[in-house]
Amino acid sequence: MRFDSNRLNERVTFYEDISKSIKGLPQKPITKELYSCYASVQDAKESDTQTSIQNSTEFIKTIIIRDPRGDYNPTNKHYVLHDGNRYDVVYVKKDYQDKSFIRIYCKVVI
């Protein structure tokens, strides 16, 4: 069964904090917006939730976006802002059902 693109109904934005040092002194990190798109934000499945509780990351979200095809490659150094909540990217993989989508697993930053 292919993923229904009508479920991409929530706006998410991907960011990265970039730290610079001037003359050896660390400066405040600069937040850089990397990519913004529509996504499907889902709660994790029960099996993923049990695994995350064992790893002490209790709140996991799955974010599905269209594959940006080189415009943007999400990594675990990035984070997502959605509805005022920050989610750190934990793991990224192609959707096994439909290769034109990417699944991004994130944990809530409290």
Side-chain angles (χ1 to χ4, degrees):
M1 176 188 252
R2 297 178 65 97
F3 180 77
D4 183 13
S5 62
N6 290 331
R7 292 173 37 196
L8 300 176
N9 57 1
E10 299 184 49
R11 193 76 173 172
V12 295
T13 307
F14 294 85
Y15 293 94
E16 180 179 22
D17 287 338
I18 300 172
S19 298
K20 293 184 179 180
S21 59
I22 299 174
K23 297 182 181 178
L25 299 173
Q27 301 296 312
K28 190 175 181 181
I30 299 170
T31 301
K32 180 180 177 186
E33 182 177 326
L34 301 172
Y35 189 69
S36 183
C37 64
Y38 284 97
S40 173
V41 180
Q42 305 170 347
D43 289 325
K45 296 179 181 171
E46 186 63 33
S47 61
D48 295 336
T49 304
Q50 292 300 323
T51 303
S52 67
I53 289 172
Q54 291 173 357
N55 295 336
S56 73
T57 31
E58 297 180 18
F59 305 105
I60 296 260
K61 295 279 188 183
T62 302
I63 298 174
I64 301 173
I65 64 170
R66 287 188 192 274
D67 189 356
R69 302 193 189 278
D71 291 340
Y72 170 67
N73 292 317
T75 67
N76 61 355
K77 295 179 182 177
H78 303 160
Y79 62 92
V80 180
L81 286 182
H82 172 257
D83 287 342
N85 294 325
R86 178 179 165 158
Y87 302 97
D88 283 342
V89 174
V90 177
Y91 182 68
V92 179
K93 72 172 189 173
K94 292 260 188 193
D95 189 5
Y96 63 90
Q97 294 175 345
D98 191 350
K99 300 295 184 199
S100 62
F101 294 95
I102 294 178
R103 288 184 176 266
I104 302 166
Y105 298 95
C106 302
K107 66 178 178 178
V108 176
V109 176
I110 299 175

